Amino acid sequence: MDTSFSFQLVEGTYLPSEAKKILMTLLHDKINYHEREAFSTEERFGIKAKHSLQRIEALQKVVEEVLAQIEIAQANEMDLVINGTLSVELVKASQSKHAL
């Protein structure tokens, strides 16, 4: 049985405006996921979801970095090459990090 796989999520050369839509959608969806997780954990258990809050902060910094790079690309009439491969590995539940 294979316990890992990968797939190409995004691949191509994009105008800055296209790259911005793609990358911001991916990043904001992930931020929204963690915001919902943090809210749900606090509502259900009365505790802060430390992992989700840390990920939100880290992803917000990535958003700023990506926007800065897109501005540079626009100012210099450049395109962006995006190559986003996701790797997934199956592990026993006791080896994984659970979000709480």
Side-chain angles (χ1 to χ4, degrees):
M1 166 176 67
D2 273 344
T3 59
S4 65
F5 63 97
S6 63
F7 59 95
Q8 196 72 29
L9 184 62
V10 182
E11 179 180 26
T13 302
Y14 301 93
L15 296 169
S17 60
E18 297 169 323
K20 182 177 181 179
K21 286 179 192 174
I22 292 167
L23 295 172
M24 291 301 105
T25 298
L26 290 170
L27 289 164
H28 286 296
D29 283 352
K30 188 63 176 170
I31 290 169
N32 288 337
Y33 167 81
H34 282 291
E35 287 174 340
R36 287 190 307 273
E37 284 296 305
F39 176 78
S40 176
T41 299
E42 191 160 358
E43 285 293 309
R44 291 184 297 149
F45 304 112
I47 59 173
K48 301 275 185 195
K50 184 178 176 181
H51 173 74
S52 286
L53 296 173
Q54 289 171 339
R55 288 299 296 148
I56 291 167
E57 186 177 324
L59 289 166
Q60 288 171 336
K61 290 178 183 176
V62 172
V63 166
E64 292 173 13
E65 292 173 26
V66 168
L67 291 174
Q69 291 298 315
I70 290 171
E71 285 182 24
I72 291 169
Q74 286 174 323
N76 293 286
E77 298 181 5
M78 301 172 81
D79 289 339
L80 291 93
V81 176
I82 303 173
N83 185 8
T85 302
L86 290 183
S87 299
V88 179
E89 183 178 351
L90 305 177
V91 298
K92 291 189 184 272
S94 62
Q95 295 175 345
S96 66
K97 294 180 181 177
H98 294 281
L100 290 180

